[in-house]
Amino acid sequence: MAQVTEIDHPVVKHYLSILRNKKTETAAFRRAMGSIGTILAYQALSDLPLKTQEVETPIQTTMGHKAGPEVFVIPILRAGLSLVDGIINFMPDAKVGHIGVYRDEKTHEPVNYYHNFPGGLNNAYTLVVDPMLATGGSGSHALNFLKENGADNIRFVSLICAPEGVERLQKDHPDVPIITAAIDEKLNKDAFIVPGLGDAGDRYFGTL
Ligand code: PRP
């Protein structure tokens, strides 16, 4: 079963509370999302393979390191974009792809409406990014699509998860570790995470 890492860090708890607070305005919401994005990336990349290589310091030659596979960051549109700045601040070399998924109003099935990602998914270390893992439908669908396109080394990075979403992802994708800032209590009848923070995309983009 996929490993789930819930980051236990005072700075994460601080920014998470800013994000949860319904009175937080857009600018502060964006800053908090950026800070947590960087911390999530730090954790998600903690087992990034390294190659050793010599490096010449001004004093002498020593052994250094270079990250092995390329890092791809793939946000699930639209809300996934909110974590990208924080992640690429930490890993500026990362390539960014996009996948758009919406939920059909009648069937409730996830549908792709857009994708554009760099070639070479099968040799990359891929972070799939979405701040909300609610039922897990969108995440599981995006992971299926990326795997069909060659991705085979994936981490799912999410700000807040519902236990239902974690269970769904673990069942559908036991090979994909989940990195999150919080696993909340439950979903409500409208499939919103409780206590959650509302709709992350609307709050980040100011489209409430
Ligand atoms: C939200 C969120 C996830 C999805 C989670 O997106 O960003 O993508 O719902 O729900 P699920 O786990 O039940 O699939 P939303 O549909 O609000 O679209 P947006 O990103 O464009 O705001």
Side-chain angles (χ1 to χ4, degrees):
M1 183 168 295
Q3 190 189 348
V4 182
T5 304
E6 184 179 10
I7 297 176
D8 183 15
H9 193 289
V11 176
V12 172
K13 292 184 198 311
H14 170 83
Y15 284 118
L16 194 52
S17 298
I18 290 173
L19 293 168
R20 289 193 193 279
N21 186 342
K22 67 178 185 183
K23 294 188 176 149
T24 298
E25 293 188 355
T26 307
F29 191 90
R30 288 176 175 162
R31 279 197 299 273
M33 198 64 104
S35 297
I36 296 194
T38 297
I39 297 168
L40 287 169
Y42 172 88
Q43 183 63 40
L45 296 170
S46 61
D47 63 350
L48 184 65
L50 290 175
K51 295 176 187 153
T52 51
Q53 64 177 25
E54 283 192 344
V55 55
E56 223 172 297
T57 81
I59 311 299
Q60 67 165 54
T61 300
T62 186
M63 284 313 291
H65 300 96
K66 183 172 170 46
E70 275 193 302
V71 175
F72 287 7
V73 180
I74 314 243
I76 301 176
L77 304 178
R78 159 191 73 143
L81 292 172
S82 63
L83 289 168
V84 171
D85 280 356
I87 295 172
I88 63 177
N89 274 341
F90 182 65
M91 192 73 198
D93 287 335
K95 291 185 175 169
V96 180
H98 298 85
I99 178 164
V101 180
Y102 73 87
R103 199 169 274 255
D104 185 279
E105 281 181 15
K106 287 198 181 114
T107 65
H108 300 294
E109 290 300 316
V111 179
N112 287 13
Y113 64 85
Y114 181 75
H115 73 269
N116 185 338
F117 31 76
L121 272 171
N122 53 328
N123 293 315
Y125 188 103
T126 301
L127 306 184
V128 177
V129 179
D130 194 328
M132 303 277 108
L133 180 64
T135 66
S138 310
S140 183
H141 181 79
L143 290 173
N144 280 333
F145 187 70
L146 289 166
K147 286 179 178 179
E148 283 162 21
N149 283 276
D152 55 3
N153 190 2
I154 310 175
R155 274 101 190 114
F156 194 86
V157 177
S158 184
L159 179 73
I160 298 181
C161 303
E164 294 89 335
V166 171
E167 200 177 313
R168 167 86 187 265
L169 232 57
Q170 284 188 313
K171 180 171 149 291
D172 293 356
H173 298 282
D175 56 315
V176 177
I178 301 169
I179 297 92
T180 185
I183 300 174
D184 274 8
E185 284 168 29
K186 59 179 180 183
L187 292 179
N188 69 13
K189 62 176 175 30
D190 300 317
F192 269 88
I193 301 173
V194 178
L197 52 71
D199 187 313
D202 280 339
R203 296 191 65 193
Y204 185 84
F205 290 110
T207 52
L208 276 170

